[in-house]
Amino acid sequence: ATAPLISPQTAFDRRRTQIDLRLTKIFKVGSNARVQANFDAYNVLNANSVIGLVSSYGSRWQQPTQVLEGRLLQFSGQLTF
């Protein structure tokens, strides 16, 4: 049998903060076509917030199992005609 040490929905982790940013520029090509260029930056402040913790009691109790991904930069585009 298992017995919870902490009642459910009574203990919470700190709030996770992640800021994502997108810059877009649209260029007209010819009379009907356009190109949309995108620059995306995910987790701009490079936060390392904890997403998952070990919740079972033992030597690893409350150790992080997953943290927020590091900063990621992405370039993309779209052609519409």
Side-chain angles (χ1 to χ4, degrees):
T2 59
L5 298 175
I6 301 172
S7 300
Q9 299 298 320
T10 59
F12 300 98
D13 296 326
R14 292 179 300 175
R15 183 177 297 268
R16 182 174 71 195
T17 303
Q18 178 179 353
I19 297 176
D20 298 336
L21 175 69
R22 171 176 269 192
L23 302 174
T24 300
K25 176 69 177 172
I26 298 174
F27 302 97
K28 289 190 177 189
V29 180
S31 61
N32 293 344
R34 68 181 186 152
V35 174
Q36 178 177 328
N38 300 317
F39 170 73
D40 297 312
Y42 301 99
N43 195 7
V44 174
L45 301 177
N46 204 23
N48 60 351
S49 303
V50 174
I51 297 174
L53 291 171
V54 175
S55 59
S56 57
Y57 185 72
S59 61
R60 294 189 57 219
W61 185 55
Q62 294 289 312
Q63 283 188 344
T65 57
Q66 186 178 9
V67 295
L68 195 60
E69 294 286 330
R71 187 179 299 128
L72 174 69
L73 304 176
Q74 177 180 342
F75 296 95
S76 62
Q78 178 179 351
L79 173 63
T80 306
F81 55 93

